[in-house]
Amino acid sequence: KAGVTQTPRYLIKTRGQQVTLSCSPISGHRSVSWYQQTPGQGLQFLFEYFSETQRNKGNFPGRFSGRQFSNSRSEMNVSTLELGDSALYLCASSLAPTGTDTQYFGPGTRLTVL
Amino acid sequence: AQSVAQPEDQVNVAEGNPLTVKCTYSVSGNPYLFWYVQYPNRGLQFLLKYITGDNLVKGSYGFEAEFNKSQTSFHLKKPSALVSDSALYFCAVRDMGGSQGNLIFGKGTKLSVKP
């Protein structure tokens, strides 16, 4: 069974641009969560989607948004990029909503904002 | 506000010795507690979780964690460390009594196991 895939793996953008990251969960998994990892702030929860609905949201500004499609694939969008948005963005999938089932993580998308 | 503390930035252990990676938490409601591991140049891997029930939770790769409600701790343990256990370990808590159920991570503890 294929694991969680994230595209692209690496991305370079400039300040003010917007970016869309994609996450394909393990087949059959309906819950997708997004996390940001930076050296300074560590791992921070962004949001969680289950069956196309946002269930939980972390403390991030409205520039960070996401959505989930009917096939459970999820996208995350960051608008008006700032230097501080440079990070590793991780996606995780699980059968059930986070907290009740094992999460499987993708390799991440490394975003660099110049 | 909910929080997670991993008081040690780094833990050094000799191979074959027992290891403990510490975690304490603060939540307003009942916690869901997790441990994750991140190996160099690899993604994050789920190790184990505590939802309810037995205070001793067993997880992947021989790791276990003990939930202690009175001390609000969830320390990760392994009876005999391996060099391959060297990695970055994260403790996380989810406050199921909170309005958003945010998942909060600790800063991480680097485990170094020497042969």
Side-chain angles (χ1 to χ4, degrees):
Chain A
K1 185 183 267 192
V4 179
T5 57
Q6 292 187 244
T7 56
R9 291 292 312 279
Y10 301 91
L11 206 50
I12 299 175
K13 292 284 188 180
T14 56
R15 279 180 297 174
Q17 287 187 309
Q18 74 165 14
V19 67
T20 299
L21 311 182
S22 180
C23 172
S24 293
I26 291 172
S27 178
H29 285 194
R30 294 166 61 194
S31 174
V32 173
S33 299
W34 289 89
Y35 302 85
Q36 182 196 65
Q37 186 176 24
T38 60
Q41 298 299 316
L43 268 165
Q44 296 184 83
F45 172 73
L46 279 157
F47 25 65
E48 177 198 3
Y49 287 87
F50 180 74
S51 294
E52 303 177 64
T53 301
Q54 187 180 85
R55 282 178 49 87
N56 293 297
K57 184 177 182 299
N59 298 321
F60 277 81
R63 300 186 297 107
F64 291 81
S65 63
R67 59 179 175 168
Q68 187 179 34
F69 301 96
S70 58
N71 62 357
S72 294
R73 189 178 70 86
S74 177
E75 287 183 348
M76 164 188 151
N77 184 274
V78 187
S79 62
T80 319
L81 283 166
E82 301 176 359
L83 294 179
D85 297 333
S86 294
L88 180 67
Y89 289 89
L90 295 167
C91 159
S93 78
S94 59
L95 280 168
T98 307
T100 62
D101 205 352
T102 301
Q103 285 186 286
Y104 297 87
F105 280 80
T109 294
R110 174 77 61 185
L111 172 65
T112 302
V113 182
L114 303 176
Chain B
Q2 42 183 350
S3 64
V4 177
Q6 292 182 243
E8 301 151 320
D9 290 336
Q10 181 155 343
V11 170
N12 298 310
V13 177
E15 188 175 32
N17 283 1
L19 70 87
T20 299
V21 182
K22 296 179 180 178
C23 171
T24 58
Y25 66 91
S26 173
V27 299
S28 56
N30 292 322
Y32 281 13
L33 294 156
F34 307 83
W35 276 102
Y36 296 88
V37 60
Q38 190 172 35
Y39 296 100
N41 301 316
R42 289 169 65 178
L44 216 60
Q45 293 182 35
F46 170 86
L47 271 181
L48 51 77
K49 66 184 177 188
Y50 172 83
I51 306 300
T52 186
D54 195 352
N55 290 343
L56 185 64
V57 180
K58 294 189 182 297
S60 307
Y61 313 119
F63 284 93
E64 58 187 28
E66 186 168 11
F67 171 64
N68 188 316
K69 188 173 183 178
S70 62
Q71 296 185 7
T72 60
S73 67
F74 190 56
H75 301 329
L76 182 70
K77 300 180 180 183
K78 187 173 183 181
S80 179
L82 300 172
V83 173
S84 58
D85 292 330
S86 298
L88 191 57
Y89 290 81
F90 292 95
C91 179
V93 65
R94 185 165 182 169
D95 181 2
M96 298 312 293
S99 59
Q100 292 185 320
N102 292 351
L103 195 61
I104 306 297
F105 284 90
K107 291 294 185 183
T109 298
K110 183 179 179 181
L111 174 66
S112 178
V113 182
K114 301 294 185 185

